[in-house]
Amino acid sequence: MTTLVGFPDRPVRVNAELDAPLSRWLWLVKWILVIPHCVVLFFLWIAFAVVSVIAFFAILFTERYPRALFDFNLGVLRWSWRVAYYSYGALATDRYPPFSLRAEPDYPARLDITYPERLSRGLVLVKWWLLAVPHLIVVGFLLGGYHLGWWSGGLVAVLTVIAGVIMAFTEKYPKDLFDLILGLNRWVLRVAAYVALMTDSYPPFRLDMGGTEPADAEELS
């Protein structure tokens, strides 16, 4: 499983493309279609928690996140992001997400996290709870609750349902709404990587909207 190298100031990079055309009504039943993913993700997130505890002690004693454990947790985050993008975290594609921990570069929703060569022993003691508290408050407002790869009850879910209703009547996904939803999801995934001890870079209090990471957009311009 590959991870991104470079961009030390942006270790977590979320990119996505809005598919078109999108079904006007499929979004109403996607909660049923993702049930197989939710079952698998239930067990993967249990493993994710166990792996994170092991990684905590590995970082504390060696200043390194074991690469195999890092790749596994990155895979779980990627899988969850793809399911969220397909379902009620974005509704921005009708392509059924693969059952895969790999990068899947052909899927319209992608997540990359730069593998850290060294991590702080001191930060590992406090960043996942104390330092992350301000962001966790924001994420709680954005998500409302986490449900095995798709989010409900928070601002992201409300905006996504609004996008679904608009698609039902107009057959179009408003671009400005897509950009906002992607920015909110990007915020959540940056915080998730930080809390999971996968980076020492504190997530910015910044809403980077749009499907393309700012660093990637600069490269393309």
mmCIF file of all heavy atoms in Angstrom, residues 31-72:
data_model
loop_
_atom_site.group_PDB
_atom_site.id
_atom_site.type_symbol
_atom_site.label_atom_id
_atom_site.label_comp_id
_atom_site.label_asym_id
_atom_site.label_seq_id
_atom_site.Cartn_x
_atom_site.Cartn_y
_atom_site.Cartn_z
ATOM 1 N N TRP A 31 -28.486 3.989 1.882
ATOM 2 C CA TRP A 31 -28.308 3.512 3.258
ATOM 3 C C TRP A 31 -28.469 1.995 3.322
ATOM 4 O O TRP A 31 -27.859 1.336 4.184
ATOM 5 C CB TRP A 31 -29.309 4.191 4.187
ATOM 6 C CG TRP A 31 -30.745 3.854 3.928
ATOM 7 C CD1 TRP A 31 -31.579 4.464 3.032
ATOM 8 C CD2 TRP A 31 -31.511 2.827 4.566
ATOM 9 N NE1 TRP A 31 -32.827 3.885 3.074
ATOM 10 C CE2 TRP A 31 -32.810 2.872 4.009
ATOM 11 C CE3 TRP A 31 -31.227 1.883 5.556
ATOM 12 C CZ2 TRP A 31 -33.818 2.012 4.397
ATOM 13 C CZ3 TRP A 31 -32.232 1.014 5.952
ATOM 14 C CH2 TRP A 31 -33.512 1.086 5.375
ATOM 15 N N ILE A 32 -29.242 1.422 2.415
ATOM 16 C CA ILE A 32 -29.364 -0.031 2.328
ATOM 17 C C ILE A 32 -28.157 -0.622 1.610
ATOM 18 O O ILE A 32 -27.596 -1.639 2.037
ATOM 19 C CB ILE A 32 -30.661 -0.435 1.591
ATOM 20 C CG1 ILE A 32 -31.890 0.079 2.336
ATOM 21 C CG2 ILE A 32 -30.730 -1.950 1.422
ATOM 22 C CD1 ILE A 32 -33.195 -0.183 1.611
ATOM 23 N N LEU A 33 -27.745 0.025 0.541
ATOM 24 C CA LEU A 33 -26.658 -0.499 -0.282
ATOM 25 C C LEU A 33 -25.329 -0.553 0.454
ATOM 26 O O LEU A 33 -24.472 -1.387 0.133
ATOM 27 C CB LEU A 33 -26.522 0.343 -1.557
ATOM 28 C CG LEU A 33 -27.761 0.409 -2.452
ATOM 29 C CD1 LEU A 33 -27.493 1.295 -3.665
ATOM 30 C CD2 LEU A 33 -28.178 -0.991 -2.897
ATOM 31 N N VAL A 34 -25.134 0.336 1.435
ATOM 32 C CA VAL A 34 -23.849 0.349 2.139
ATOM 33 C C VAL A 34 -23.826 -0.568 3.355
ATOM 34 O O VAL A 34 -22.797 -0.650 4.038
ATOM 35 C CB VAL A 34 -23.460 1.780 2.574
ATOM 36 C CG1 VAL A 34 -23.285 2.681 1.369
ATOM 37 C CG2 VAL A 34 -24.466 2.358 3.556
ATOM 38 N N ILE A 35 -24.915 -1.284 3.615
ATOM 39 C CA ILE A 35 -24.932 -2.175 4.786
ATOM 40 C C ILE A 35 -23.780 -3.178 4.771
ATOM 41 O O ILE A 35 -23.120 -3.385 5.814
ATOM 42 C CB ILE A 35 -26.298 -2.884 4.899
ATOM 43 C CG1 ILE A 35 -27.362 -1.889 5.369
ATOM 44 C CG2 ILE A 35 -26.223 -4.063 5.869
ATOM 45 C CD1 ILE A 35 -28.769 -2.458 5.418
ATOM 46 N N PRO A 36 -23.472 -3.837 3.635
ATOM 47 C CA PRO A 36 -22.322 -4.753 3.646
ATOM 48 C C PRO A 36 -21.025 -4.058 4.058
ATOM 49 O O PRO A 36 -20.210 -4.627 4.801
ATOM 50 C CB PRO A 36 -22.258 -5.257 2.198
ATOM 51 C CG PRO A 36 -23.652 -5.119 1.689
ATOM 52 C CD PRO A 36 -24.179 -3.882 2.330
ATOM 53 N N HIS A 37 -20.825 -2.825 3.601
ATOM 54 C CA HIS A 37 -19.631 -2.077 3.999
ATOM 55 C C HIS A 37 -19.657 -1.783 5.501
ATOM 56 O O HIS A 37 -18.621 -1.853 6.175
ATOM 57 C CB HIS A 37 -19.546 -0.773 3.214
ATOM 58 C CG HIS A 37 -18.993 -0.917 1.843
ATOM 59 N ND1 HIS A 37 -17.649 -1.094 1.598
ATOM 60 C CD2 HIS A 37 -19.603 -0.923 0.636
ATOM 61 C CE1 HIS A 37 -17.444 -1.184 0.299
ATOM 62 N NE2 HIS A 37 -18.622 -1.098 -0.307
ATOM 63 N N CYS A 38 -20.812 -1.418 6.023
ATOM 64 C CA CYS A 38 -20.913 -1.093 7.449
ATOM 65 C C CYS A 38 -20.563 -2.297 8.316
ATOM 66 O O CYS A 38 -19.926 -2.149 9.367
ATOM 67 C CB CYS A 38 -22.314 -0.591 7.772
ATOM 68 S SG CYS A 38 -22.702 1.026 7.048
ATOM 69 N N VAL A 39 -20.970 -3.476 7.871
ATOM 70 C CA VAL A 39 -20.648 -4.691 8.626
ATOM 71 C C VAL A 39 -19.136 -4.907 8.663
ATOM 72 O O VAL A 39 -18.554 -5.159 9.726
ATOM 73 C CB VAL A 39 -21.353 -5.914 8.011
ATOM 74 C CG1 VAL A 39 -20.870 -7.197 8.680
ATOM 75 C CG2 VAL A 39 -22.866 -5.778 8.138
ATOM 76 N N VAL A 40 -18.506 -4.791 7.503
ATOM 77 C CA VAL A 40 -17.057 -4.982 7.449
ATOM 78 C C VAL A 40 -16.336 -3.886 8.234
ATOM 79 O O VAL A 40 -15.394 -4.150 8.994
ATOM 80 C CB VAL A 40 -16.567 -5.009 5.983
ATOM 81 C CG1 VAL A 40 -15.037 -5.122 5.932
ATOM 82 C CG2 VAL A 40 -17.200 -6.163 5.226
ATOM 83 N N LEU A 41 -16.789 -2.650 8.059
ATOM 84 C CA LEU A 41 -16.132 -1.535 8.742
ATOM 85 C C LEU A 41 -16.290 -1.615 10.254
ATOM 86 O O LEU A 41 -15.424 -1.130 10.998
ATOM 87 C CB LEU A 41 -16.685 -0.206 8.225
ATOM 88 C CG LEU A 41 -16.161 0.224 6.852
ATOM 89 C CD1 LEU A 41 -16.969 1.411 6.323
ATOM 90 C CD2 LEU A 41 -14.686 0.581 6.925
ATOM 91 N N PHE A 42 -17.350 -2.212 10.736
ATOM 92 C CA PHE A 42 -17.512 -2.394 12.175
ATOM 93 C C PHE A 42 -16.312 -3.133 12.759
ATOM 94 O O PHE A 42 -15.732 -2.733 13.774
ATOM 95 C CB PHE A 42 -18.803 -3.154 12.462
ATOM 96 C CG PHE A 42 -18.988 -3.518 13.913
ATOM 97 C CD1 PHE A 42 -19.448 -2.586 14.821
ATOM 98 C CD2 PHE A 42 -18.684 -4.802 14.363
ATOM 99 C CE1 PHE A 42 -19.609 -2.923 16.163
ATOM 100 C CE2 PHE A 42 -18.838 -5.138 15.699
ATOM 101 C CZ PHE A 42 -19.304 -4.198 16.602
ATOM 102 N N PHE A 43 -15.929 -4.218 12.108
ATOM 103 C CA PHE A 43 -14.790 -5.004 12.589
ATOM 104 C C PHE A 43 -13.463 -4.308 12.289
ATOM 105 O O PHE A 43 -12.516 -4.390 13.082
ATOM 106 C CB PHE A 43 -14.825 -6.395 11.958
ATOM 107 C CG PHE A 43 -16.004 -7.217 12.397
ATOM 108 C CD1 PHE A 43 -17.110 -7.363 11.577
ATOM 109 C CD2 PHE A 43 -16.025 -7.819 13.649
ATOM 110 C CE1 PHE A 43 -18.203 -8.100 11.987
ATOM 111 C CE2 PHE A 43 -17.119 -8.561 14.067
ATOM 112 C CZ PHE A 43 -18.214 -8.704 13.240
ATOM 113 N N LEU A 44 -13.386 -3.614 11.153
ATOM 114 C CA LEU A 44 -12.157 -2.897 10.826
ATOM 115 C C LEU A 44 -11.878 -1.781 11.827
ATOM 116 O O LEU A 44 -10.720 -1.530 12.189
ATOM 117 C CB LEU A 44 -12.239 -2.325 9.406
ATOM 118 C CG LEU A 44 -12.095 -3.333 8.264
ATOM 119 C CD1 LEU A 44 -12.269 -2.627 6.918
ATOM 120 C CD2 LEU A 44 -10.739 -4.035 8.326
ATOM 121 N N TRP A 45 -12.932 -1.116 12.295
ATOM 122 C CA TRP A 45 -12.719 -0.030 13.257
ATOM 123 C C TRP A 45 -12.355 -0.552 14.644
ATOM 124 O O TRP A 45 -11.647 0.118 15.400
ATOM 125 C CB TRP A 45 -13.935 0.887 13.308
ATOM 126 C CG TRP A 45 -13.862 1.925 12.235
ATOM 127 C CD1 TRP A 45 -14.468 1.896 11.015
ATOM 128 C CD2 TRP A 45 -13.091 3.121 12.269
ATOM 129 N NE1 TRP A 45 -14.120 3.006 10.288
ATOM 130 C CE2 TRP A 45 -13.284 3.779 11.035
ATOM 131 C CE3 TRP A 45 -12.266 3.702 13.215
ATOM 132 C CZ2 TRP A 45 -12.675 4.979 10.734
ATOM 133 C CZ3 TRP A 45 -11.654 4.917 12.927
ATOM 134 C CH2 TRP A 45 -11.861 5.541 11.693
ATOM 135 N N ILE A 46 -12.796 -1.751 14.965
ATOM 136 C CA ILE A 46 -12.309 -2.384 16.197
ATOM 137 C C ILE A 46 -10.811 -2.643 16.068
ATOM 138 O O ILE A 46 -10.019 -2.343 16.983
ATOM 139 C CB ILE A 46 -13.066 -3.693 16.475
ATOM 140 C CG1 ILE A 46 -14.528 -3.397 16.821
ATOM 141 C CG2 ILE A 46 -12.401 -4.466 17.617
ATOM 142 C CD1 ILE A 46 -15.383 -4.646 16.984
ATOM 143 N N ALA A 47 -10.415 -3.182 14.918
ATOM 144 C CA ALA A 47 -8.995 -3.419 14.675
ATOM 145 C C ALA A 47 -8.219 -2.109 14.640
ATOM 146 O O ALA A 47 -7.079 -2.032 15.133
ATOM 147 C CB ALA A 47 -8.816 -4.183 13.362
ATOM 148 N N PHE A 48 -8.820 -1.066 14.078
ATOM 149 C CA PHE A 48 -8.198 0.252 14.029
ATOM 150 C C PHE A 48 -7.867 0.746 15.434
ATOM 151 O O PHE A 48 -6.780 1.271 15.684
ATOM 152 C CB PHE A 48 -9.154 1.230 13.326
ATOM 153 C CG PHE A 48 -8.618 2.617 13.116
ATOM 154 C CD1 PHE A 48 -8.073 2.980 11.898
ATOM 155 C CD2 PHE A 48 -8.678 3.570 14.130
ATOM 156 C CE1 PHE A 48 -7.592 4.267 11.690
ATOM 157 C CE2 PHE A 48 -8.196 4.850 13.938
ATOM 158 C CZ PHE A 48 -7.647 5.198 12.712
ATOM 159 N N ALA A 49 -8.801 0.572 16.362
ATOM 160 C CA ALA A 49 -8.579 1.014 17.740
ATOM 161 C C ALA A 49 -7.450 0.231 18.392
ATOM 162 O O ALA A 49 -6.588 0.801 19.084
ATOM 163 C CB ALA A 49 -9.869 0.860 18.545
ATOM 164 N N VAL A 50 -7.431 -1.085 18.164
ATOM 165 C CA VAL A 50 -6.371 -1.918 18.745
ATOM 166 C C VAL A 50 -5.016 -1.530 18.169
ATOM 167 O O VAL A 50 -4.023 -1.382 18.900
ATOM 168 C CB VAL A 50 -6.664 -3.412 18.488
ATOM 169 C CG1 VAL A 50 -5.487 -4.276 18.937
ATOM 170 C CG2 VAL A 50 -7.942 -3.833 19.204
ATOM 171 N N VAL A 51 -4.966 -1.350 16.856
ATOM 172 C CA VAL A 51 -3.718 -0.960 16.194
ATOM 173 C C VAL A 51 -3.231 0.391 16.698
ATOM 174 O O VAL A 51 -2.027 0.603 16.909
ATOM 175 C CB VAL A 51 -3.912 -0.940 14.661
ATOM 176 C CG1 VAL A 51 -2.767 -0.212 13.967
ATOM 177 C CG2 VAL A 51 -4.028 -2.359 14.128
ATOM 178 N N SER A 52 -4.153 1.318 16.942
ATOM 179 C CA SER A 52 -3.767 2.639 17.428
ATOM 180 C C SER A 52 -3.143 2.563 18.820
ATOM 181 O O SER A 52 -2.202 3.297 19.129
ATOM 182 C CB SER A 52 -4.992 3.567 17.446
ATOM 183 O OG SER A 52 -5.493 3.771 16.137
ATOM 184 N N VAL A 53 -3.660 1.677 19.657
ATOM 185 C CA VAL A 53 -3.079 1.502 20.994
ATOM 186 C C VAL A 53 -1.663 0.938 20.884
ATOM 187 O O VAL A 53 -0.729 1.400 21.561
ATOM 188 C CB VAL A 53 -3.967 0.582 21.853
ATOM 189 C CG1 VAL A 53 -3.258 0.227 23.160
ATOM 190 C CG2 VAL A 53 -5.306 1.245 22.138
ATOM 191 N N ILE A 54 -1.484 -0.051 20.017
ATOM 192 C CA ILE A 54 -0.146 -0.619 19.814
ATOM 193 C C ILE A 54 0.803 0.445 19.280
ATOM 194 O O ILE A 54 1.954 0.571 19.720
ATOM 195 C CB ILE A 54 -0.220 -1.824 18.861
ATOM 196 C CG1 ILE A 54 -1.068 -2.943 19.467
ATOM 197 C CG2 ILE A 54 1.184 -2.334 18.526
ATOM 198 C CD1 ILE A 54 -1.364 -4.082 18.516
ATOM 199 N N ALA A 55 0.307 1.238 18.325
ATOM 200 C CA ALA A 55 1.134 2.295 17.743
ATOM 201 C C ALA A 55 1.512 3.325 18.803
ATOM 202 O O ALA A 55 2.625 3.866 18.775
ATOM 203 C CB ALA A 55 0.388 2.967 16.591
ATOM 204 N N PHE A 56 0.607 3.618 19.722
ATOM 205 C CA PHE A 56 0.888 4.563 20.803
ATOM 206 C C PHE A 56 2.145 4.153 21.571
ATOM 207 O O PHE A 56 3.056 4.960 21.788
ATOM 208 C CB PHE A 56 -0.318 4.631 21.750
ATOM 209 C CG PHE A 56 -0.070 5.388 23.020
ATOM 210 C CD1 PHE A 56 -0.261 6.762 23.072
ATOM 211 C CD2 PHE A 56 0.357 4.737 24.170
ATOM 212 C CE1 PHE A 56 -0.032 7.469 24.252
ATOM 213 C CE2 PHE A 56 0.591 5.433 25.348
ATOM 214 C CZ PHE A 56 0.394 6.799 25.382
ATOM 215 N N PHE A 57 2.213 2.910 21.964
ATOM 216 C CA PHE A 57 3.370 2.449 22.727
ATOM 217 C C PHE A 57 4.622 2.367 21.859
ATOM 218 O O PHE A 57 5.733 2.648 22.324
ATOM 219 C CB PHE A 57 3.073 1.098 23.372
ATOM 220 C CG PHE A 57 2.114 1.196 24.524
ATOM 221 C CD1 PHE A 57 0.785 0.831 24.380
ATOM 222 C CD2 PHE A 57 2.539 1.679 25.758
ATOM 223 C CE1 PHE A 57 -0.103 0.933 25.439
ATOM 224 C CE2 PHE A 57 1.657 1.783 26.830
ATOM 225 C CZ PHE A 57 0.334 1.411 26.669
ATOM 226 N N ALA A 58 4.434 2.002 20.585
ATOM 227 C CA ALA A 58 5.588 1.960 19.676
ATOM 228 C C ALA A 58 6.197 3.347 19.515
ATOM 229 O O ALA A 58 7.428 3.512 19.553
ATOM 230 C CB ALA A 58 5.163 1.397 18.321
ATOM 231 N N ILE A 59 5.348 4.364 19.359
ATOM 232 C CA ILE A 59 5.835 5.741 19.218
ATOM 233 C C ILE A 59 6.479 6.211 20.520
ATOM 234 O O ILE A 59 7.519 6.870 20.524
ATOM 235 C CB ILE A 59 4.680 6.683 18.815
ATOM 236 C CG1 ILE A 59 4.128 6.301 17.441
ATOM 237 C CG2 ILE A 59 5.154 8.141 18.801
ATOM 238 C CD1 ILE A 59 2.796 6.954 17.117
ATOM 239 N N LEU A 60 5.875 5.860 21.624
ATOM 240 C CA LEU A 60 6.379 6.283 22.929
ATOM 241 C C LEU A 60 7.791 5.760 23.175
ATOM 242 O O LEU A 60 8.642 6.468 23.742
ATOM 243 C CB LEU A 60 5.432 5.787 24.030
ATOM 244 C CG LEU A 60 5.706 6.270 25.455
ATOM 245 C CD1 LEU A 60 5.600 7.790 25.545
ATOM 246 C CD2 LEU A 60 4.732 5.608 26.428
ATOM 247 N N PHE A 61 8.081 4.559 22.724
ATOM 248 C CA PHE A 61 9.385 3.955 22.998
ATOM 249 C C PHE A 61 10.378 4.093 21.844
ATOM 250 O O PHE A 61 11.590 4.074 22.060
ATOM 251 C CB PHE A 61 9.211 2.474 23.344
ATOM 252 C CG PHE A 61 8.574 2.241 24.681
ATOM 253 C CD1 PHE A 61 7.259 1.797 24.763
ATOM 254 C CD2 PHE A 61 9.258 2.488 25.858
ATOM 255 C CE1 PHE A 61 6.656 1.593 25.994
ATOM 256 C CE2 PHE A 61 8.660 2.287 27.100
ATOM 257 C CZ PHE A 61 7.359 1.839 27.162
ATOM 258 N N THR A 62 9.877 4.216 20.601
ATOM 259 C CA THR A 62 10.796 4.210 19.446
ATOM 260 C C THR A 62 10.712 5.463 18.582
ATOM 261 O O THR A 62 11.529 5.628 17.676
ATOM 262 C CB THR A 62 10.517 2.988 18.542
ATOM 263 O OG1 THR A 62 9.239 3.157 17.886
ATOM 264 C CG2 THR A 62 10.500 1.700 19.357
ATOM 265 N N GLU A 63 9.720 6.326 18.831
ATOM 266 C CA GLU A 63 9.456 7.516 18.015
ATOM 267 C C GLU A 63 9.060 7.174 16.580
ATOM 268 O O GLU A 63 9.141 8.012 15.695
ATOM 269 C CB GLU A 63 10.668 8.457 17.992
ATOM 270 C CG GLU A 63 11.047 9.003 19.355
ATOM 271 C CD GLU A 63 12.169 10.012 19.266
ATOM 272 O OE1 GLU A 63 13.000 9.913 18.344
ATOM 273 O OE2 GLU A 63 12.206 10.913 20.137
ATOM 274 N N ARG A 64 8.594 5.964 16.372
ATOM 275 C CA ARG A 64 8.199 5.547 15.030
ATOM 276 C C ARG A 64 6.830 4.860 15.078
ATOM 277 O O ARG A 64 6.518 4.137 16.029
ATOM 278 C CB ARG A 64 9.223 4.590 14.414
ATOM 279 C CG ARG A 64 10.569 5.238 14.130
ATOM 280 C CD ARG A 64 11.542 4.222 13.544
ATOM 281 N NE ARG A 64 11.071 3.725 12.258
ATOM 282 C CZ ARG A 64 11.308 4.326 11.096
ATOM 283 N NH1 ARG A 64 12.003 5.462 11.054
ATOM 284 N NH2 ARG A 64 10.865 3.801 9.970
ATOM 285 N N TYR A 65 6.056 5.086 14.037
ATOM 286 C CA TYR A 65 4.779 4.405 13.848
ATOM 287 C C TYR A 65 5.076 3.213 12.940
ATOM 288 O O TYR A 65 5.426 3.398 11.783
ATOM 289 C CB TYR A 65 3.787 5.348 13.170
ATOM 290 C CG TYR A 65 2.322 4.991 13.314
ATOM 291 C CD1 TYR A 65 1.415 5.912 13.831
ATOM 292 C CD2 TYR A 65 1.825 3.756 12.908
ATOM 293 C CE1 TYR A 65 0.065 5.620 13.959
ATOM 294 C CE2 TYR A 65 0.482 3.452 13.024
ATOM 295 C CZ TYR A 65 -0.390 4.391 13.556
ATOM 296 O OH TYR A 65 -1.726 4.086 13.681
ATOM 297 N N PRO A 66 4.988 1.977 13.429
ATOM 298 C CA PRO A 66 5.313 0.822 12.585
ATOM 299 C C PRO A 66 4.605 0.902 11.240
ATOM 300 O O PRO A 66 3.382 1.092 11.189
ATOM 301 C CB PRO A 66 4.837 -0.368 13.414
ATOM 302 C CG PRO A 66 4.935 0.116 14.830
ATOM 303 C CD PRO A 66 4.561 1.572 14.783
ATOM 304 N N ARG A 67 5.366 0.747 10.169
ATOM 305 C CA ARG A 67 4.822 1.004 8.835
ATOM 306 C C ARG A 67 3.617 0.124 8.507
ATOM 307 O O ARG A 67 2.633 0.593 7.926
ATOM 308 C CB ARG A 67 5.919 0.816 7.782
ATOM 309 C CG ARG A 67 5.498 1.197 6.357
ATOM 310 C CD ARG A 67 5.057 2.655 6.311
ATOM 311 N NE ARG A 67 4.600 3.064 5.026
ATOM 312 C CZ ARG A 67 5.343 3.716 4.114
ATOM 313 N NH1 ARG A 67 6.606 3.997 4.380
ATOM 314 N NH2 ARG A 67 4.858 4.086 2.963
ATOM 315 N N ALA A 68 3.663 -1.152 8.873
ATOM 316 C CA ALA A 68 2.545 -2.038 8.557
ATOM 317 C C ALA A 68 1.275 -1.589 9.280
ATOM 318 O O ALA A 68 0.170 -1.638 8.714
ATOM 319 C CB ALA A 68 2.895 -3.473 8.928
ATOM 320 N N LEU A 69 1.435 -1.138 10.520
ATOM 321 C CA LEU A 69 0.271 -0.664 11.276
ATOM 322 C C LEU A 69 -0.257 0.640 10.685
ATOM 323 O O LEU A 69 -1.470 0.855 10.609
ATOM 324 C CB LEU A 69 0.646 -0.464 12.741
ATOM 325 C CG LEU A 69 1.186 -1.688 13.489
ATOM 326 C CD1 LEU A 69 1.385 -1.359 14.961
ATOM 327 C CD2 LEU A 69 0.256 -2.884 13.326
ATOM 328 N N PHE A 70 0.652 1.511 10.284
ATOM 329 C CA PHE A 70 0.262 2.781 9.655
ATOM 330 C C PHE A 70 -0.534 2.520 8.379
ATOM 331 O O PHE A 70 -1.584 3.127 8.146
ATOM 332 C CB PHE A 70 1.513 3.605 9.346
ATOM 333 C CG PHE A 70 1.233 4.954 8.740
ATOM 334 C CD1 PHE A 70 1.087 6.076 9.547
ATOM 335 C CD2 PHE A 70 1.120 5.105 7.359
ATOM 336 C CE1 PHE A 70 0.822 7.325 8.988
ATOM 337 C CE2 PHE A 70 0.862 6.344 6.793
ATOM 338 C CZ PHE A 70 0.716 7.455 7.614
ATOM 339 N N ASP A 71 -0.031 1.614 7.560
ATOM 340 C CA ASP A 71 -0.710 1.320 6.298
ATOM 341 C C ASP A 71 -2.091 0.726 6.529
ATOM 342 O O ASP A 71 -3.042 1.012 5.793
ATOM 343 C CB ASP A 71 0.132 0.361 5.458
ATOM 344 C CG ASP A 71 1.343 1.048 4.844
ATOM 345 O OD1 ASP A 71 1.381 2.283 4.823
ATOM 346 O OD2 ASP A 71 2.260 0.335 4.377
ATOM 347 N N PHE A 72 -2.219 -0.097 7.557
ATOM 348 C CA PHE A 72 -3.541 -0.677 7.854
ATOM 349 C C PHE A 72 -4.528 0.418 8.261
ATOM 350 O O PHE A 72 -5.647 0.484 7.743
ATOM 351 C CB PHE A 72 -3.425 -1.716 8.967
ATOM 352 C CG PHE A 72 -4.771 -2.244 9.403
ATOM 353 C CD1 PHE A 72 -5.415 -3.221 8.667
ATOM 354 C CD2 PHE A 72 -5.402 -1.732 10.539
ATOM 355 C CE1 PHE A 72 -6.667 -3.698 9.051
ATOM 356 C CE2 PHE A 72 -6.655 -2.193 10.930
ATOM 357 C CZ PHE A 72 -7.285 -3.181 10.178
#
